[in-house]
Amino acid sequence: IKRLGVDVVKSAESRKEVQIPLHFSDVYKRYNNLQKTAGYDLSLYKGETAVLYSYPAKDAPEFRVNLLCYKDRVIGGDMSSAKLSGKMVALKSEEMKKCLN
């Protein structure tokens, strides 16, 4: 997370196992397209069980940094707002940096 330039509240970490579907719905296809903009591709992990770690951002508490990991390797993730009208942005993106400023 530090390499992304984000400080998070580690004591507020949440962790859950997620199944990456074998067949992507339209929503999952859009999410994977977001992943691809950051250099990830979840289609390589179809059918696998991954772990989703989620942390509140210290400098932007309305945002959470979400990391999707498989065998201790980051395979995707996002930064998303908890607001109903909030947004989700790709890791490593300029838009992510703007949300933190």
Side-chain angles (χ1 to χ4, degrees):
I1 292 175
K2 289 248 184 226
R3 282 189 248 159
L4 296 171
V6 182
D7 286 326
V8 296
V9 182
K10 290 187 181 180
S11 62
E13 170 192 291
S14 68
R15 177 191 188 280
K16 70 177 180 177
E17 289 189 356
V18 295
Q19 183 81 28
I20 299 173
L22 284 171
H23 304 285
F24 287 0
S25 66
D26 287 342
V27 171
Y28 221 93
K29 286 176 186 175
R30 285 193 304 272
Y31 186 68
N32 197 41
N33 285 336
L34 181 79
Q35 299 309 305
K36 288 178 179 181
T37 66
Y40 302 111
D41 185 356
L42 298 180
S43 68
L44 303 172
Y45 301 93
K46 287 183 175 181
E48 300 293 347
T49 300
V51 179
L52 179 65
Y53 296 93
S54 185
Y55 305 88
K58 274 186 187 176
D59 297 332
E62 70 275 16
F63 285 97
R64 295 190 68 81
V65 177
N66 305 297
L67 298 178
L68 191 58
C69 299
Y70 178 73
K71 295 186 177 180
D72 297 324
R73 182 173 178 225
V74 175
I75 61 168
D78 62 80
M79 191 169 88
S80 58
S81 170
K83 295 179 182 179
L84 186 58
S85 61
K87 60 182 166 179
M88 178 183 292
V89 298
L91 298 177
K92 306 177 190 176
S93 68
E94 286 301 314
E95 199 171 353
M96 181 180 154
K97 292 173 189 172
K98 288 178 188 175
C99 292
L100 295 169
N101 292 327

